[in-house]
Amino acid sequence: MFDLLDRVLRVQPAPPMSTVVATLAIALVLVMWRRSWRWVRNAVTIAHEGGHALMAVLCGRRLEGIRLHSDTSGLTFTRGRDRGPGMVLSLAAGYTAPSLLGAAGAALLATGRLTLLLWLGILLAVLMLVMIRNFYGVLSVLVTGGVLFAVSWYADSTWQAAFAYTGVWFLVIGGIRPVFELQAQRRRGQARSSDADQLARLTPLSGGAWVTVFLLVGLGAIALTASLFGVIAATRDSSLFN
């Protein structure tokens, strides 16, 4: 047990700037290339629905289940008041969750807790698995958790760093693409029950204003992540020269 804790909590040295830039490029390709996005978007959906679920529980709502579908959509079922702050926060948490999760991951990487980041991802996957209510959802979460475990347990520090930095970049960049997709659907009149439109019915803000809020949160997460990674690289370069 102590060996496991030491392994998980160990502080690892920052990777070179070339790794940070390379992982950014990989994440951009994964998000922007339509073929790759079709597959990796499941990870964003897991974070999206996990955000709904976590906020619902924190707001005192009863979480009844989560479904993930092969078209990369998802649904989170909760029970409680159909109005009020709890409902608003639960709805708002979906589109902001991937970006905020990525920014939190960047903060952990800034402290050198690379393996801890991977194991926290495994823990979140396990907690979410309990609430999944369909086969495809179970399969998606199991694959995600399995990949995280394999990297954290078998990969060396170099590959762990490459995976973790790519994952964080992917979450903060991939977190805003669904926002643009949502607005495109709204313009075509195809998203009348979207999170933004449900929020518009519960608050004074319009659906378009909520889309803007989602986008600003996502852009802020990207800026924060870039800033943290810049500090990591600068710290590493300074230590090398000293």
Side-chain angles (χ1 to χ4, degrees), residues 11 20 28 35 39 42 119 143 148 157 163 173 199 201 215 219 223 237:
V11 176
V20 177
L28 283 170
R35 290 187 178 181
W39 294 100
N42 280 305
W119 277 76
V143 169
L148 289 169
S157 59
F163 181 86
I173 297 172
L199 285 164
R201 292 191 284 269
L215 181 60
L219 293 175
D237 292 342

Side-chain angles (χ1 to χ4, degrees), residues 104-127:
L108 271 178
L109 291 179
T111 66
R113 308 288 182 178
L114 197 156
T115 306
L116 177 61
L117 171 63
L118 297 175
W119 277 76
L120 286 175
I122 296 170
L123 176 61
L124 291 174
V126 171
L127 292 175

